[in-house]
Structure formats: structure tokens, C-alpha cells
Amino acid sequence: MSDHADQAEQNIETFLHSAIANARRHSPLQSDGHCVFCDEAVAVNQLFCCRECRDDYDKEQRALRITGGY
């Protein structure tokens, strides 16, 4: 018979497996010739036009993950 600690451990494991599977479903960013954040033209194989756009994109994505707004 399992106790509360065993059940909590099982819940955590289930949550982690679900979170890992969800993270793997999201495809990595791909360059299309435009900045991912502001849509300005960029050089071939670049994702962002500047460091500020990259940092702002990272902040936005982090906030979405925290709030569950992915």
C-alpha cells in the first residue's frame, strides 16, 4: 500500500515526463531571413537582428513559460 510520499513522487514523475514530451514537440527556431522578434531583415542563418531582440525574445518566452501561455 502506498503512502502520500509515494503518490507525490508518482505525480512529480508524471508531470516531468509530460513536460519533457511537451518541450520536445516544440520545434527549434529556423532562420527565414527575418528577425524572429521584430521581423527586420537579417543575414543568412541568423535569427535576430541584434542582441536586444534576442534578449527581448528570451524574456518573452520565459514569461510565457512561467504563466503557461505557451
Side-chain angles (χ1 to χ4, degrees):
M1 184 159 43
S2 65
D3 61 2
H4 293 292
D6 291 334
Q7 185 60 41
E9 185 176 354
Q10 181 62 38
N11 289 345
I12 291 169
E13 187 173 333
T14 300
F15 174 78
L16 287 175
H17 284 290
S18 175
I20 290 169
N22 186 38
R24 288 182 177 157
R25 274 192 294 266
H26 290 91
S27 62
L29 295 174
Q30 294 182 358
S31 176
D32 65 353
H34 295 90
C35 177
V36 172
F37 191 71
C38 74
D39 209 33
E40 186 174 315
V42 296
V44 177
N45 294 329
Q46 285 193 338
L47 296 173
F48 302 99
C49 62
C50 62
R51 185 178 334 179
E52 289 79 15
C53 277
R54 183 200 62 209
D55 293 345
D56 289 345
Y57 176 83
D58 287 342
K59 287 177 190 175
E60 182 181 81
Q61 294 302 304
R62 191 174 320 120
L64 287 172
R65 281 192 303 273
I66 290 170
T67 61
Y70 229 127

